[in-house]
Amino acid sequence: MQAVAWHGKRDVRVENVPDPDIREPDDVIVRITSSGVCGSDLHLYEVMTPYMKQGDVLGHESMGVVEEAGPEVTAVGPGDRVVVPFNISCGTCWMCSQGLQSQCETTQQREHGTGAALFGYTVLYGEVPGGQAEYLRVPFGNTLPIKVPEGPTDDRFLFLSDVLPTAWQAVEYADVPEGGTLLVLGLGPIGEMAARIGQHRGYRVLGVDLVPDRIERARSHGVEVYDLRDHDDDLVEVVQEATDGRGPDSVLDAVGMEAHGAPVAKAMQQMTGLLPTPVQRKLMETASIDRLHALYLAIELVRRGGTISISGVYGGMADPIPMRVLFDKQVQIRMGQANVLRWVPQIWPLLLDGDPLGTDAFASHHVPLDEAPAAYQQFQKKEDGCFKVVLQP
């Protein structure tokens, strides 16, 4: 089959790889019809290269049609349309029973001290082939795939794989009081969807970004957006003025490790990338730092007694955090990989009732699988209004 394979920093290629097959009696093989390119894929494209191997198949936002099912699979069968959650969870262990599928005890990567395995995401998370491909092997066929109805286009349901539950959990973790104010840092796909969810719940939603297309997209549906290019020096002051001098009740950091405005950390990340892979890994596991401009902003912006929710991915092991400020302001922080299946029951009705979150028109670009290398480059550079890419084998 054809698949998007990693070959080095900023080097992904579409090439022939072995077809997946049934390995366990509860496996299913899904013929992929749509697969998203995620901001997290760009971390593999740029920063997390020490944990990648040439030929790793990328992609963790996938849906399609069941082609084949193992002998113990009864929940889905050939011809069924399914969405595949990005975290690989068994659905039966203690963690899964607590709604913590991202910490599934069956697929935890204990060798690396990490949580549940992920599709298409580095040796740290199982090095499982991903779904930017023509076919995907999906384990736990009775509990993991989400069966969806025929009718609406793929885009109505595709984002159940990651974007929707990640944004939903981020807003849940933000713990916005009824009628309160949520500020979203970063209006990429997760931040934009979180803003829509916040509005759906009746919150006042503020947003911060510096990409013109993203700013206009958020403004078009009523988000009060601050352009960081205009407010790089006075953002805290202008936001406080707009929130009774206190700051927002909750701040959602949807940016993560590659934030704008951190030149020293960026230079250190780039220098690390020039070292031999074993040395890179050692540094990342002991002394790596993130570009923390977004997180520092969140700490400054949130009101005293407020909550910070972190959905942007961080990977640093030696990040300097202003603990005195956090303690003094009595700030709560929640974060983590989304527990996809925990939130599906709450999201599901919104996909069947008029599409209030706008999933049908959420993606900006739909491209054939063989154009993936150019799409990755375009997405990273935010060219031509590239906001969300869906690959279609």
Side-chain angles (χ1 to χ4, degrees), residues 28-286:
V28 297
I29 304 299
V30 176
R31 175 176 57 82
I32 300 301
T33 55
S34 292
S35 187
V37 180
C38 179
S40 296
D41 292 324
L42 295 184
H43 299 324
L44 311 183
Y45 191 67
E46 183 76 28
V47 178
M48 299 295 288
T49 57
Y51 296 101
M52 301 294 291
K53 293 181 181 176
Q54 288 206 8
D56 281 350
V57 177
L58 303 177
H60 59 270
E61 299 182 354
S62 306
M63 71 173 291
V65 177
V66 175
E67 193 83 2
E68 184 181 356
E72 293 184 5
V73 178
T74 58
V76 296
D80 285 338
R81 193 182 188 200
V82 297
V83 173
V84 183
F86 77 91
N87 35 39
I88 304 173
S89 57
C90 70
T92 56
C93 70
W94 186 85
M95 284 289 181
C96 286
S97 75
Q98 303 301 301
L100 293 169
Q101 290 88 357
S102 67
Q103 309 302 323
C104 173
E105 292 173 316
T106 304
T107 71
Q108 273 180 26
Q109 301 299 295
R110 292 175 176 82
E111 177 185 355
H112 300 288
T114 53
L118 309 176
F119 287 105
Y121 213 81
T122 83
V123 69
L124 293 177
Y125 289 97
E127 207 171 25
V128 180
Q132 290 173 9
E134 293 181 301
Y135 294 92
L136 176 67
R137 171 184 169 261
V138 180
F140 310 114
N142 289 315
T143 53
L144 185 58
I146 305 165
K147 189 174 177 179
V148 302
E150 298 295 334
T153 64
D154 277 9
D155 283 24
R156 177 69 64 90
F157 302 112
L158 173 63
F159 305 112
L160 273 177
S161 61
D162 181 352
V163 173
L164 279 166
T166 296
W168 194 275
Q169 177 173 294
V171 175
E172 286 280 335
Y173 282 9
D175 195 26
V176 186
E178 185 174 351
T181 300
L182 171 68
L183 185 143
V184 180
L185 287 172
L187 294 169
I190 300 302
E192 166 68 17
M193 185 57 75
R196 297 182 186 196
I197 292 167
Q199 290 177 307
H200 179 75
R201 294 185 178 193
Y203 307 144
R204 179 188 178 194
V205 179
L206 315 179
V208 178
D209 207 292
L210 45 66
V211 180
D213 293 334
R214 296 181 176 186
I215 289 170
E216 291 310 310
R217 176 184 286 245
R219 278 184 178 151
S220 72
H221 58 89
V223 175
E224 301 172 46
V225 186
Y226 296 89
D227 188 332
L228 197 58
R229 295 170 300 173
D230 299 330
H231 296 290
D232 209 6
D233 296 325
D234 66 351
L235 182 67
V236 175
E237 290 78 7
V238 297
V239 169
Q240 284 180 341
E241 287 176 11
T243 52
D244 300 322
R246 299 187 188 94
D249 301 298
S250 306
V251 175
L252 196 164
D253 173 4
V255 178
M257 68 171 73
E258 294 184 84
H260 159 80
V264 175
K266 179 179 180 179
M268 291 180 70
Q269 286 178 353
Q270 291 174 336
M271 288 170 61
T272 300
L274 300 175
L275 300 171
T277 295
V279 179
Q280 289 185 52
R281 283 194 179 188
K282 186 66 176 176
L283 277 173
M284 292 187 78
E285 290 166 5
T286 58

Side-chain angles (χ1 to χ4, degrees), residues 250-329:
S250 306
V251 175
L252 196 164
D253 173 4
V255 178
M257 68 171 73
E258 294 184 84
H260 159 80
V264 175
K266 179 179 180 179
M268 291 180 70
Q269 286 178 353
Q270 291 174 336
M271 288 170 61
T272 300
L274 300 175
L275 300 171
T277 295
V279 179
Q280 289 185 52
R281 283 194 179 188
K282 186 66 176 176
L283 277 173
M284 292 187 78
E285 290 166 5
T286 58
S288 60
I289 62 171
D290 296 301
R291 306 181 207 173
L292 293 173
H293 186 53
L295 183 57
Y296 289 161
L297 266 181
I299 293 168
E300 282 192 272
L301 286 164
V302 71
R303 69 161 169 81
R304 291 178 177 273
T307 302
I308 295 173
S309 172
I310 302 174
S311 66
V313 176
Y314 285 98
M317 293 295 288
D319 289 334
I321 303 297
M323 293 301 297
R324 181 186 65 79
V325 177
L326 290 168
F327 184 85
D328 178 67
K329 292 185 71 172

